[in-house]
Structure formats: structure tokens, C-alpha cells
Amino acid sequence: MRIIEEEKLEDYVREKVIEHNMRMLPDELKTPNEDISFLLKEDDDTIVGGITANMFWHHMHIEFFWVEETLRGKGYGSALLEKMEAAAREKGCRFIHLDTFSFQAPDFYKRHGFEVFGTLEDHPEGFAQYYMIKRFDR
């Protein structure tokens, strides 16, 4: 037996963890593992924003969210987030969760109904990482 460093192994390991987890859950909780993303494009197809997420077990996790700095504060980020929220509701998700840093957008998410459920203080040093949730099932 040996342990080696291997690039591009994350997909294999991820699939094995998912296989195990799916065997452990009752059928009524199982939902497909599904990636979803929306892009914000200029008329010339230049990408100026986007949001990515993963859904399974009746929830959504927002993974990455970006809007070109010159377009921030003009409603484009809100439109992308609302589109993702609509997709989550349509797919029967009970909630959306995400993480964001204090130098990113915690106030933006709070304005959209997200609540902090955990904080990792001093990470990175001098900042904080917030874990946030927006529930639909209450």
C-alpha cells in the first residue's frame, strides 16, 4: 500500500464519496447530484458575470459567484442570485447555503434573505469566513 500525491484525482474521490453517501440514505431523501450555472453576457458574448451551484438531497450549495467590478451595484448580481434561487425552488430545494468572506459580500447576501449560521474568525488572518443559509421550508 502506498500514498501518492496525484493531480486531477478529485473527481474520482468525489464520486466514491457520493456513492457511499447515496447507499446510506433512505430513497425518499435521494435526489440527483446536479450542477447548475448561469452566465451574464454582453451582447458580444463577453462573459461579465456568473454563478455556479451544486444540488443534491433537496438543497443547493452556491459554489462560485462573480460579477465584473465595473458592473457591481447595478442589479446584475441580484438578478443572477434570484435566477439561481428560482432554479432551487423549481427543483424542490429546501434551502441554499454558501460561504463568503468578510471582504466579499456578506451584506449582499443578507439583503437577499441569507442568515449567518457559522463564522470562522481570523480566516484568512484579519478577516472572517461566513457560512450562510436561506431556507425555503419554514
Side-chain angles (χ1 to χ4, degrees), residues 4-5 11 14 33-34 38 48-49 53 56 68 76 88 107 110 115 120 122 133 136:
I4 59 170
E5 182 178 352
D11 289 341
R14 182 180 298 113
N33 185 341
E34 184 177 350
F38 295 102
V48 292
F56 62 96
E68 180 69 45
Y76 296 110
D107 291 334
K110 287 176 184 176
E115 299 175 0
L120 184 56
D122 206 29
I133 190 167
F136 305 135

Side-chain angles (χ1 to χ4, degrees), residues 16-57:
K16 290 300 181 184
V17 170
I18 291 168
E19 284 176 20
H20 169 78
N21 291 345
M22 293 302 274
R23 282 193 310 271
M24 303 306 290
L25 281 180
D27 286 341
E28 64 270 11
L29 296 180
K30 294 177 184 177
T31 58
N33 185 341
E34 184 177 350
D35 293 321
I36 185 168
S37 60
F38 295 102
L39 294 176
L40 178 63
K41 289 186 171 186
E42 295 279 7
D43 292 336
D44 66 359
D45 280 341
T46 302
I47 298 171
V48 292
I51 187 169
T52 69
N54 179 259
M55 294 180 289
F56 62 96
W57 301 348

Side-chain angles (χ1 to χ4, degrees), residues 71-95:
L71 298 175
R72 293 179 188 170
K74 298 181 179 182
Y76 296 110
S78 294
L80 281 167
L81 186 59
E82 289 164 8
K83 185 80 170 171
M84 191 62 84
E85 182 177 323
R89 289 177 183 272
E90 181 180 306
K91 294 285 188 172
C93 292
R94 297 171 46 232
F95 60 87

